[in-house]
Amino acid sequence: MFQNLSDKLQSVFKNLRGFGKLTEKNIADALREVRMALLEADVNYKVAKDFIESVKAKALGQTVLDSVTPGQQVVKIIFDELVTLMGAQQAALDLGRSPSVILLCGLHGCGKTTTAGKLARLLTKQGHHPLLAACDVYRPAAVTQLQTLGKQLGIPVHAVPGETDVLKIARGAMEVAAAQGRNVIIFDTAGRLQIDEPLVQELVRLKEVVEPREILLVADAATGQQAVDIAARFNAALGLTGIILTKLDGDTRGGAALSMRAVSGKPIKLVGVGEKLEDLEPFHPDRMASRILGMGDVVSLVEKAQETFDGAQAEKMQEKLRKADINLEDFLNQMQQFKKMGPLENVLGMLPGMSNIRDLSVEQKQLKRMEAIIQSMTPAERRRPEVIDGHRRQRIARGSGTTVADVNQLLKQFWAMKNLMKQMPRLGRKMAKMGGFKLPAR
C-alpha cells in the first residue's frame, strides 16, 4: 500500500538529507516534489495544497534552517502533518448501549458484505456477541454470501429469503438479537453503482428504525478522488460516524486514506488489508504515516505476532527486532510464523526500510524456495551466515534444488534487512533530540 507515494517521498527526503544546510529554495523545491507525489497518489487537490502550506510554514522556521540536521527536521514536520491529516489519534468504534447497532453503507462493489463478516469476527475476538443482518434485498447473492460468512465464523445471520421489505427484516433482526442475547447487530445494506435518491431514502428509513450507534461508510480505497465525494454525499444524507477503507492492500496510491478525513470530517476507523476474514484492522494515523515514510510499523507487527505466537515467542521476536540480533535460523523461524500472519510481503512491509526493497515482495512459491535454501544449510551456517563462501553456496544450491543466484539473492536480502534494522534506532535517537519525536517502533 502507498508504494508509489512512499517511494517518491523517500527520494525527496534523501535529497534533503544531502544538504548540509537548507535554504528557502531547497525547501520550496522539495515541497513542490512532495505536492506532485500527493496529487499523483490521488490525494484531493485542496487537501494537498493545504498540507504543503502547513509544512512550508513550519519548515521555513528559523529553528529548522539553523538546525544541524535540517533535512531530518523537515522529515519530522512532514510526519507530524501526515498524522494530523489522517486524524491524529485512532478513532475506536463506539459501542455504548446493548444491543449496539452498526449500519454499513456504501456503493456496489466496495466490499460491504465481506467487511460485515470481517467486522463480526473482529468484534467476536474482542468479546462481543454480534448478529449479522442481511438487508441487501437487491443483489441476488448477497444474502447467501452473508450466510456463508456467518457459517464460517460461527456467527448467526438473520436473513429472510424472498422478503423485500428492508424495514421488516431490520425489526426482525432486533427481536432475534434480544432473544439470543446478541449485544451488537451489524446491518449489511444494499449498494448501488452510484448514489441515487431511492438508495438514500431507504437508508434514511432504516436508520430511523434501528437507531444505529455507528453509521460506517465502506469505501474502496482504489476509487481515489471519487471516494471523497462519496463520503461527503453519504455523510450529508445519513450523518456518518466513521469510514472503513477496503482493499487498501491492493492500492499503491492511497490518496483516499489521506483525503477522506480532511474532506468529510469523519475518521477512518478500520481498514481492510487483505482478502482473509482476519484482514480488518483498526486504523492508526501515526503508524500509517510511519509506513508511508518508510519507517516501518513494528508496533503493528508485534501485535500481529502476539496473536499468532505465544507470549514468550512474541517477546523474543520483539527483542531481536529491536537489537537487529537475528541470524538465518531466526529468519527461517520467523518466515514460518509470518505465514500465519498474512501475506509475507505485507508483514515484511512493516519492518523499517523494507518498502524500498523490491525483491522482498515475496510470493508463496518464492517463500518455499527460501525455506528450502535455509534448510539446506548446516546449523553453523544458519547461525553464522558470514561463513558461507562460494563453495558452500554451490553445495546449498544443489541441496535445495535452486541456483547459486537464488542463494546469493536470499543472503543479500538477509543482510539488507539486518543493516536497515541496525540503522533505525540511530535515526530514532537523532530525531528524538529534535523535539521528542520517536519512531513508533520504539
Side-chain angles (χ1 to χ4, degrees), residues 366-427:
Q366 292 174 300
L367 175 60
K368 289 179 181 178
R369 184 161 61 242
M370 293 169 72
E371 287 181 303
I373 291 171
I374 298 176
Q375 287 168 341
S376 295
M377 298 176 184
T378 66
E381 288 168 342
R382 293 181 203 166
R383 291 169 192 150
R384 295 185 61 226
E386 62 271 16
V387 304
I388 302 176
D389 57 18
H391 292 296
R392 291 174 186 253
R393 293 179 194 220
Q394 290 176 4
R395 190 205 77 242
I396 292 166
R398 288 195 301 271
S400 59
T402 62
T403 67
V404 173
D406 291 329
V407 177
N408 290 339
Q409 182 184 36
L410 171 66
L411 292 171
K412 181 181 177 182
Q413 290 170 350
F414 171 75
W415 289 117
M417 181 178 72
K418 190 161 183 175
N419 289 336
L420 284 165
M421 289 168 64
K422 286 179 179 177
Q423 292 169 16
M424 293 314 293
R426 290 200 296 272
L427 176 59

Side-chain angles (χ1 to χ4, degrees), residues 73-123:
Q73 284 278 17
V74 176
V75 175
K76 175 190 181 304
I77 292 169
I78 291 177
F79 174 90
D80 291 341
E81 291 299 311
L82 275 177
V83 173
T84 301
L85 179 65
M86 291 187 287
Q89 295 180 343
Q90 182 208 352
L93 292 174
D94 179 9
L95 303 175
R97 64 182 184 183
S98 181
S100 186
V101 174
I102 300 175
L103 181 64
L104 301 182
C105 61
L107 298 188
H108 177 69
C110 65
K112 272 193 314 302
T113 301
T114 302
T115 298
K118 289 180 176 181
L119 181 56
R121 179 189 179 278
L122 180 65
L123 292 173

